[in-house]
Amino acid sequence: MQGEQINDLTAWVKKIIQNFIEHSPENTLRNQFDEKAFDGALVGFSSGADPLYAAYKAHVGPFHWTPWEIFTRTFPNSAVKPDELTVISWVLPQTEATKSDNRRQRTYPSERWARARIYGETVNVKLRTHVVDLLQKKGYQAVAPMLSPYWERKNSDRYVFASTWSERHAAYASGLGTFGLCDGLITFRGKAMRVGSVVARIRIPSTPRPYNDPHAYCLFFTQGICGICISRCPVGAITESGHDKVKCLQHLRPASATYVESHYGFKGYGCGLCQTGVPCESKIPTKRDVDRYAPE
């Protein structure tokens, strides 16, 4: 009976997220045709006691939260243990129309991609709020770390830019994907996506991680091939040494922000060229995918 309850709880949480993306009018690019921002959702879970979260803290910096730290800061009167918490993580894949548009770009994002960056993240924010609200109505305390008033951006000696919580690292811990050369997360639906999470006082079994290497799905790291994201970057921010966050940020703002406003008529920014027109755009790549995307 207990196993059935756990299965029901897991399915219920997944359904909250998937139904929102599939049916909510909030899932919109806010363009002329009111197209959806995202195409379905992947959902994974990890324990608040997973050693990976302590490892992130040690690796990134003392400012980086474990699930227990953000939860107890939000609910200071809760005598909760880390293993009573679950991190609920989701991946929101870009639509084929958005990916197709951005594949053709060489310097700046397509209009759909820029809309997915700005209005799509608004969808993600509303989804975080929706998940927290429904959990709390069921009696489960929950917080979306990225929406917490305590969330902060931080400077990092090792990583230049960091923050108190990373959605991509929560997704990695939750079995949803691994990192590529450009730092993007390669998921079962590819790298062209956005990601979100909620920490809740609820016990849901962790999603198995079919990898033990943070770069397991990146062919550059595992087989020494591909690297197509290097040529996709319009400002040379990706090399065989990795991702130059300073060059990347300078291209996003002010360069792409100026382009988006002048060409598309709204305040926004984006790029995503390293997430589209690459073998890992929509799947975990294979050598055959590399051959298909390699320039002639």
Side-chain angles (χ1 to χ4, degrees), residues 127-143:
L127 175 56
R128 292 181 182 103
T129 301
H130 178 67
V131 172
V132 169
D133 287 348
L134 290 189
L135 284 166
Q136 295 196 145
K137 284 179 181 177
K138 283 280 191 178
Y140 301 107
Q141 293 172 310
V143 58

Side-chain angles (χ1 to χ4, degrees), residues 6-16 18 45 204:
I6 290 172
N7 290 337
D8 289 347
L9 196 55
T10 303
W12 175 69
V13 172
K14 284 185 175 182
K15 191 172 181 181
I16 289 173
Q18 292 166 344
F45 306 96
I204 295 177

Side-chain angles (χ1 to χ4, degrees), residues 18-261:
Q18 292 166 344
N19 279 355
F20 184 92
I21 295 302
E22 289 173 14
H23 303 298
S24 173
E26 300 288 0
N27 180 20
T28 174
L29 288 177
R30 300 190 194 178
N31 59 5
Q32 179 182 357
F33 305 105
D34 201 29
E35 295 174 274
K36 284 188 174 184
F38 300 112
D39 180 21
L42 302 176
V43 184
F45 306 96
S46 51
S47 169
D50 193 311
L52 265 181
Y53 290 107
Y56 293 160
K57 189 177 187 69
H59 203 63
V60 177
F63 55 82
H64 194 79
W65 293 326
T66 65
W68 182 85
E69 286 174 321
I70 178 54
F71 188 89
T72 55
R73 190 161 187 181
T74 306
F75 303 102
N77 297 322
S78 293
V80 61
K81 296 177 181 178
D83 65 0
E84 296 177 61
L85 303 175
T86 294
V87 178
I88 303 163
S89 179
W90 58 82
V91 165
L92 306 178
Q94 304 281 9
T95 67
E96 181 54 38
T98 295
K99 291 184 290 189
S100 178
D101 279 0
N102 218 53
R103 250 178 251 140
R104 296 191 289 269
Q105 299 299 111
R106 294 295 178 264
T107 305
Y108 295 111
S110 68
E111 180 175 350
R112 280 191 177 99
W113 188 276
R115 286 182 175 277
R117 176 61 187 86
I118 302 304
Y119 303 124
E121 185 53 29
T122 298
V123 175
N124 203 6
V125 167
K126 290 179 178 179
L127 175 56
R128 292 181 182 103
T129 301
H130 178 67
V131 172
V132 169
D133 287 348
L134 290 189
L135 284 166
Q136 295 196 145
K137 284 179 181 177
K138 283 280 191 178
Y140 301 107
Q141 293 172 310
V143 58
M146 293 296 290
L147 303 187
S148 169
Y150 304 120
W151 182 85
E152 295 179 278
R153 299 184 189 276
K154 294 286 188 178
N155 293 323
S156 167
D157 292 338
R158 180 176 290 177
Y159 297 106
V160 185
F161 307 127
S163 67
T164 49
W165 182 258
S166 167
E167 299 285 38
R168 289 177 300 122
H169 285 77
Y172 174 83
S174 302
L176 292 176
T178 75
F179 297 91
L181 181 61
C182 73
D183 286 343
L185 193 76
I186 302 170
T187 76
F188 308 109
R189 292 285 301 277
K191 190 167 57 176
M193 54 86 203
R194 296 199 67 75
V195 62
S197 65
V198 162
V199 179
R201 190 171 188 174
I202 190 171
R203 278 196 168 104
I204 295 177
S206 296
T207 303
R209 287 193 288 268
Y211 45 75
N212 54 22
D213 177 349
H215 298 116
Y217 297 156
C218 178
L219 295 176
F220 179 84
F221 286 107
T222 60
Q223 298 185 35
I225 61 174
C226 193
I228 294 173
C229 58
I230 295 174
S231 60
R232 283 288 287 163
C233 181
V235 294
I238 306 169
T239 67
E240 291 187 357
S241 299
H243 177 212
D244 186 325
K245 293 184 179 180
V246 175
K247 281 186 180 179
C248 183
L249 182 61
Q250 288 171 345
H251 179 60
L252 289 176
R253 291 183 294 231
S256 80
T258 300
Y259 182 89
V260 167
E261 185 169 9

